[in-house]
Amino acid sequence: MSNNRGVIRFIARRLALGLFTLFVVSLVVFAATQLLPSDPAQAILGRDANAVSVAALRTKLGLNHTAFYQYTHWLKGMLSGNPGDSFNAQIPILSYISDRVVNSLFLLFLASVVSIPMSLWFGAYSARKRDTLFDNVTSNTMLALASLPEFVVGIILVLVFSLRVWHLLPAVSTIDIHKGPWSDMKGMVLPTATLVIGAVPYISRVVRASMIEVLESDYVEMARLKGAPEKVVLWRHALPNALGPVFQVIALNIAYFAAGVIVVEALFNYQGIGGALRDSVRVRDIPVIQFLVMVLAAVYVVTNLAADLATVLVTPRLRTRMR
Amino acid sequence: MDNALTITNLRIEVAGSGFDIIDDVNLRIAPGEVLGLVGESGSGKTTVGLAVLGHARRGVKLAGGDVMIGDAAMLALGDVALRQARGRLVTYVPQDPSTALNPALRIQKQLIEVLEFHNFGGSDKARQERVVQVMSEVLLPSTPEFLRRYPHQLSGGQQQRVGLAMAFACRPSVIVLDEPTTGLDVSTQAHVLATVRDLCRAHKVAALYVTHDLAVVANLADRVAVMYAGRIVEQGTAAELFFNPSHPYTRHLIAAAPDMSTDREMVGLRGRAPGPGRRPVGCSFAPRCELATADCRAEFPAEREAGPGRLVRCIRPFEIPQSTQHVAVHSSPIAASATHALMVRDVCASYTGHEVVHNVDLHVDRGECLALVGESGSGKTTLSRSIGGLHREWTGEISLGSERLARSARDRSTAQRLRIQYVFQNPYSSLQPRRTVGDSVARPLIIGGVGKTEANRKVGEMLERVALTASYANRFPDQLSGGERQRVAIARALVSRPEVLVCDEVTSALDVLVQASIVELLSELRRDLGLAMLFVTHNLPLVASIADQVAVLADGKLVESGPTEKVLRHPEAEYTKRLIADTPQIAAAVET
């Protein structure tokens, strides 16, 4: 069907654009790391290292090549699935960092899986019960939570659930990096909760506003006047039309999680990319920094693409225009 | 015969305050009968229409009385029973089908779900067949391809027919139509109205037709009820009510309605209907009624017989307010000079390369009004925007007096821009909301280099001239009614004493009484100031009361032009003939 072809062409175009975005990001990241003060070789060997060994290390790390050569070499490596070796650990980046990437992505995944349905439910229910006690209480609570930074929320959670009030959950994450984060689900609760508390207020506010607008629309009134049961009114007539703006906010929030994990990981000593990024910046481990930034950029691009696609799929007016 | 719908003592309030929106409304409709419910916006006619389905919008409370459909008391039904009655026993056709159809669902789904909610037909197959059948009843194709479309893939007329199909699908006994032809072209409107009439007759459906358009009601309805400030002030058969109205308000409504078959001018009525909580003790029309006496202000007149089958709420029925007896004053253009005030020669206008106006020639003289008439999509707004310099993609020649104008307003001199002024369709969006009326009206003067004190004086004068007071200068647009805003927009256009005034559908967002007073004002200003006026409209009857000359535009081409009288009485182009035939008229309906 022509519609499907249109949608496929849309995806292809957006994917190409996404790749282009990543390419631009790679240029910016490379340029930025080149501008970092101090020499990686010096940083690795320490202030007292002699000039000869620093020079040797520079050669070994490939720092004597032109910036253009270094960039194309790095890009080639990224594209062929071998982003190079860590300066600091002297082992391939993937084996050094992949466990941490998995840990962070798992945290991000858990936070999304919990916060999205929760926000949809809170938002939709508040919209239906707008201006009631329930709506007022949730709105104000959400506003209060949204105004607290994650590290404060995290500290409060730790105080309440692990140190002062109850001793239910571990205050720090103790996952075995080789077994994967799912081996210690109890340790996942507080980091996930911290992210969820940061995200739910935003998403649910948008869901509520979008839902209220749709519930006031002529077609929802019309559905009621046609004798539609309230369930059908909500799920068939209202919700699909309210989702468009919600997808965009969800994408923004997932992107925000990707950055938010850095703070949360530090707070709970969670073995993820946040810690790795911090360490790499300290020791000028340029290949690792570059790799991690590219991973974060890829998360942004993919979630935004997914949100645009989802919006198109629930909006026939957009879908049918793609011929 | 038993009535299909009986409304008794209906009272509807503003939730929480106890102020009445609707009070003491009594109506009955027999099977197969069409009752027209007429009133200005805010009169409560839609609220009554929705109450028939047992529905009240947010902030509105159904406070008392009965709505009986057969033996179902709509206001006393529980949730489930009410849901079963809606869409089955009584159905609703909304005002604007483009917003009332769900944009995310195919029309097939929206049609079949009504049948499913009410288990109509018993099986999926029977329901599919009913959908096909009802689509042909409303004269739409019922091919799978058509049924799979989404609402935005249909034209406005088709959308409204889908609305009708949904309403007739379950064979209801009562149908409420809420201004279903607003926004449709006259030819589409004529076809939709014919469909409504035929279906109601054929299936013995009682119809409550809510509208502000008297001409439509005169042609469609068997009986008419007139609403004012939440009460029915008069009801009777359509023929009698229009031929000899008994309530002064009805008389004003008829006097305000544009009609191309008579020679009279439209007569407006100042003031507003009082809203809930502001209604006087006595007759709520008394403050605007020139016949009002002390008795009228003492208590609201009870409903009384005014002839067989006629009811009126007035203690002086059939008396005629002097102001509705206005005699036509036809203006003639000021002695023609060598050059036309505005001349359009061989103009073609396009949108992104696609030509929508083809080789149009027009001219307007000083003191003359040329009506540019056309249906939506005819290119009339594009042409007028080209003249105003708001649309730049055109070729040809547009001259103001002896000066040829540049394409875009930006490239025209300040003096040229001030000599040609524009009034927009929608007074709700054409005034900058954060600026006071005085600031908005003064803008053209300030741009023209007039000093502040002088500008203020002229603004005050101009506001008086458009029948507002100078004190309006300090108000903001949101403190004004639609009619007042349009007066402000006119004041802003005229304050720099332009030679040419372009009015783009300036009354289409306004109620009929307000429309009449705006038209009166424009005619008067044109006479007094010697303006050349280009009046763009889709409303043919309106043309009769305002224009000296008419130009008819169809698909971007000028199909006919000439003196108003000649074009309306003896049209030559097929298109004009059809347009006139499709336009509902009060006088014609009453005579037959």
Side-chain angles (χ1 to χ4, degrees):
Chain A
M1 265 181 61
S2 59
N3 284 356
N4 288 344
R5 216 181 305 138
V7 173
I8 288 166
R9 211 179 308 143
F10 167 80
I11 298 173
R13 203 169 51 230
R14 295 303 307 262
L15 263 178
L17 261 175
L19 288 177
F20 179 73
T21 311
L22 288 179
F23 169 69
V24 173
V25 170
S26 76
L27 280 175
V28 173
V29 168
F30 186 82
T33 49
Q34 289 290 306
L35 292 176
L36 278 179
S38 95
D39 179 18
Q42 188 85 55
I44 292 164
L45 295 174
R47 213 172 265 279
D48 307 328
N50 66 43
V52 180
S53 48
V54 169
L57 187 57
R58 282 185 63 86
T59 314
K60 190 174 168 228
L61 297 178
L63 294 174
N64 291 329
H65 292 290
T66 61
F68 179 77
Y69 176 84
Q70 287 186 50
Y71 175 71
T72 48
H73 185 73
W74 170 64
L75 196 64
K76 232 184 282 165
M78 285 290 284
L79 290 177
S80 61
N82 175 23
D85 293 353
S86 157
F87 284 176
N88 193 36
Q90 305 277 320
I91 52 170
I93 290 176
L94 285 183
S95 54
Y96 169 63
I97 208 95
S98 56
D99 288 334
R100 285 169 167 266
V101 172
V102 169
N103 286 356
S104 287
L105 287 179
F106 183 67
L107 178 57
L108 196 152
F109 169 76
L110 271 189
S112 306
V113 164
V114 176
S115 64
I116 294 169
M118 214 165 133
S119 313
L120 286 178
W121 187 86
F122 266 114
Y125 195 72
S126 307
R128 255 193 85 196
K129 301 275 164 198
R130 87 188 251 216
D131 299 337
T132 60
L133 185 68
F134 172 85
D135 181 33
N136 289 333
V137 170
T138 41
S139 285
N140 287 313
T141 315
M142 295 273 183
L143 190 67
L145 288 176
S147 60
L148 293 175
E150 295 90 49
F151 65 88
V152 175
V153 173
I155 288 167
I156 295 174
L157 287 178
V158 168
L159 288 176
V160 173
F161 291 101
S162 20
L163 300 179
R164 293 275 187 272
V165 187
W166 294 291
H167 304 279
L168 294 172
L169 297 162
V172 291
S173 153
T174 52
I175 47 173
D176 181 342
I177 196 148
H178 300 298
K179 276 196 193 155
W182 37 87
S183 61
D184 177 25
M185 288 307 279
K186 221 173 162 187
M188 295 301 298
V189 174
L190 291 185
T192 306
T194 310
L195 284 175
V196 166
I197 288 171
V200 168
Y202 288 106
I203 307 180
S204 65
R205 276 177 87 88
V206 174
V207 175
R208 178 180 177 274
S210 178
M211 204 58 184
I212 281 178
E213 198 186 319
V214 170
L215 286 174
E216 295 278 300
S217 72
D218 288 357
Y219 52 83
V220 164
E221 180 175 66
M222 191 63 219
R224 294 208 170 103
L225 294 178
K226 278 158 78 177
E230 200 56 21
K231 244 191 211 154
V232 176
V233 171
L234 269 176
W235 293 104
R236 185 186 293 168
H237 288 269
L239 197 65
N241 287 299
L243 285 178
V246 172
F247 286 139
Q248 301 298 325
V249 174
I250 288 175
L252 281 177
N253 262 281
I254 292 177
Y256 151 82
F257 282 160
V261 288
I262 294 173
V263 174
V264 172
E265 285 175 7
L267 196 64
F268 292 98
N269 197 24
Y270 186 85
Q271 301 288 311
I273 58 171
L277 196 57
R278 208 176 53 227
D279 294 345
S280 315
V281 171
R282 204 175 55 229
V283 299
R284 305 287 177 272
D285 196 342
I286 290 171
V288 176
I289 299 175
Q290 288 169 338
F291 177 74
L292 287 176
V293 174
M294 291 307 292
V295 168
L296 289 178
V299 170
Y300 270 69
V301 168
V302 169
T303 49
N304 276 303
L305 176 66
D308 286 352
L309 187 63
T311 306
V312 166
L313 289 180
V314 296
T315 316
R317 189 183 283 276
L318 295 175
R319 200 173 354 133
T320 53
R321 204 189 290 152
M322 295 175 180
R323 298 201 177 261
Chain B
M1 195 195 294
D2 276 354
N3 290 318
L5 170 69
T6 312
I7 301 176
T8 34
N9 299 329
L10 182 64
R11 181 179 169 90
I12 302 176
E13 294 174 354
V14 178
S17 74
F19 292 135
D20 63 305
I21 299 170
I22 299 295
D23 197 17
D24 206 8
V25 163
N26 297 283
L27 287 172
R28 47 169 189 81
I29 313 179
E33 187 182 41
V34 178
L35 175 77
L37 185 59
V38 186
E40 291 173 86
S41 53
S43 62
K45 55 193 193 301
T46 293
T47 310
V48 170
L50 290 172
V52 172
L53 290 106
H55 180 65
R57 290 201 171 137
R58 219 177 146 70
V60 173
K61 189 177 146 223
L62 299 170
D66 284 311
V67 174
M68 297 294 295
I69 296 175
D71 51 8
M74 292 300 289
L75 305 190
L77 294 179
D79 283 352
V80 175
L82 187 59
R83 210 169 61 220
Q84 285 164 351
R86 288 175 181 168
R88 169 80 184 84
L89 200 57
V90 49
T91 61
Y92 183 75
V93 180
Q95 175 165 15
D96 185 356
S98 67
T99 59
L101 293 174
N102 192 320
L105 296 176
R106 299 180 194 279
I107 58 170
Q108 165 152 271
K109 182 77 199 168
Q110 303 195 44
L111 282 165
I112 215 149
E113 70 171 7
V114 196
L115 301 169
E116 286 168 356
F117 297 151
H118 303 291
N119 202 18
F120 191 91
S123 71
D124 283 352
K125 193 164 169 295
R127 287 194 272 268
Q128 299 280 4
E129 281 163 12
R130 177 62 188 145
V131 167
V132 170
Q133 191 184 16
V134 79
M135 286 294 273
S136 70
E137 282 174 10
V138 298
L139 312 177
L140 281 177
S142 53
T143 58
E145 185 280 322
F146 192 85
L147 286 168
R148 280 180 55 81
R149 290 195 193 177
Y150 288 99
H152 72 272
Q153 294 168 312
L154 308 180
S155 71
Q158 287 173 330
Q159 288 175 342
Q160 196 50 287
R161 283 173 188 280
V162 171
L164 287 178
M166 275 172 9
F168 281 99
C170 292
R171 301 206 179 288
S173 48
V174 175
I175 178 166
V176 175
L177 302 113
D178 189 359
E179 311 225 21
T181 62
T182 318
L184 300 183
D185 280 328
V186 284
S187 50
T188 318
Q189 165 173 287
H191 293 140
V192 169
L193 291 178
T195 307
V196 169
R197 186 169 24 216
D198 294 348
L199 285 175
C200 289
R201 296 246 165 93
H203 301 294
K204 292 270 166 235
V205 179
L208 179 66
Y209 193 98
V210 174
T211 185
H212 67 278
D213 191 331
L214 292 177
V216 164
V217 161
N219 282 272
L220 178 75
D222 303 300
R223 286 189 304 121
V224 178
V226 180
M227 272 199 104
Y228 185 79
R231 285 183 171 88
I232 304 239
V233 293
E234 167 162 21
Q235 51 178 312
T237 64
E240 283 177 16
L241 189 134
F242 284 110
F243 183 67
N244 187 16
S246 63
H247 197 282
Y249 177 65
T250 314
R251 218 166 254 285
H252 274 288
L253 279 181
I254 296 172
D259 199 333
M260 59 187 166
S261 53
T262 59
D263 230 0
R264 62 180 176 75
E265 249 175 39
M266 295 155 62
V267 182
L269 179 64
R270 295 299 304 273
R272 273 193 244 193
R278 296 202 193 138
R279 291 176 183 162
V281 181
C283 172
S284 35
F285 188 60
R288 294 168 85 185
C289 181
E290 62 192 71
L291 302 174
T293 62
D295 288 346
C296 296
R297 296 187 182 94
E299 61 171 344
F300 206 105
E303 225 162 34
R304 61 175 75 187
E305 292 256 345
R310 294 192 72 174
L311 293 169
V312 64
R313 282 174 174 276
C314 181
I315 57 172
R316 305 175 67 182
F318 296 110
E319 284 187 39
I320 300 169
Q322 198 62 43
S323 64
T324 61
Q325 294 294 83
H326 203 75
V327 193
V329 189
H330 272 289
S331 63
S332 48
I334 293 163
S337 57
T339 53
H340 301 299
L342 174 74
M343 192 172 64
V344 171
R345 187 183 288 162
D346 202 25
V347 164
C348 301
S350 320
Y351 267 105
T352 55
H354 180 70
E355 194 174 286
V356 292
V357 173
H358 316 287
N359 311 89
V360 170
D361 293 292
L362 298 172
H363 60 84
V364 193
D365 286 322
R366 249 169 67 81
E368 186 184 62
C369 175
L370 170 70
L372 186 59
V373 182
E375 295 184 284
S376 54
S378 61
K380 57 186 192 303
T381 291
T382 309
L383 180 60
S384 60
R385 288 175 63 87
S386 301
I387 292 169
L390 301 170
H391 179 77
R392 48 164 74 204
E393 212 181 319
W394 57 270
T395 59
E397 186 187 335
I398 296 177
S399 316
L400 195 56
S402 54
E403 290 175 37
R404 200 170 160 163
L405 291 176
R407 253 205 277 288
S408 152
R410 208 169 292 187
D411 302 326
R412 297 176 186 174
S413 70
T414 307
Q416 283 173 340
R417 275 186 281 162
L418 291 176
R419 283 167 62 195
I420 177 164
Q421 288 288 309
Y422 206 98
V423 183
F424 293 89
Q425 174 171 9
N426 190 346
Y428 292 90
S429 59
S430 69
L431 294 176
Q432 146 78 281
R434 302 171 71 87
R435 235 179 226 160
T436 62
V437 164
D439 282 348
S440 279
V441 176
R443 282 302 289 170
L445 293 173
I446 305 292
I447 290 167
V450 176
K452 198 121 202 209
T453 342
E454 176 69 2
N456 282 342
R457 193 181 58 75
K458 286 193 167 170
V459 166
E461 271 177 27
M462 203 61 230
L463 287 174
E464 304 266 353
R465 199 76 194 69
V466 297
L468 298 172
T469 58
S471 66
Y472 275 74
N474 298 321
R475 302 202 199 171
F476 284 94
D478 65 350
Q479 295 167 297
L480 310 184
S481 70
E484 287 170 334
R485 287 179 204 220
Q486 203 57 297
R487 284 171 195 274
V488 170
I490 292 170
R492 176 177 60 182
L494 294 183
V495 75
S496 61
R497 297 290 153 137
E499 290 152 39
V500 176
L501 185 66
V502 181
C503 298
D504 185 8
E505 299 267 17
V506 289
T507 62
S508 64
L510 305 174
D511 268 318
V512 57
L513 287 167
V514 184
Q515 163 173 287
S517 52
I518 293 288
V519 166
E520 273 180 292
L521 173 70
L522 285 171
S523 299
E524 188 189 311
L525 289 169
R526 171 166 64 97
R527 271 197 301 274
D528 296 356
L529 307 177
L531 280 171
M533 197 157 90
L534 182 67
F535 193 87
V536 181
T537 184
H538 69 280
N539 188 337
L540 211 47
L542 202 53
V543 169
S545 18
I546 193 163
D548 311 301
Q549 301 277 326
V550 181
V552 183
L553 207 58
D555 291 327
K557 291 194 196 75
L558 203 58
V559 293
E560 181 158 11
S561 62
T564 307
E565 173 88 10
K566 184 181 158 295
V567 174
L568 293 186
R569 295 274 160 87
H570 311 286
E572 279 167 13
E574 272 312 306
Y575 179 80
T576 320
K577 285 181 190 165
R578 196 165 52 75
L579 203 59
I580 292 174
D582 283 340
T583 303
Q585 294 174 55
I586 297 177
V590 173
E591 278 159 24
T592 51

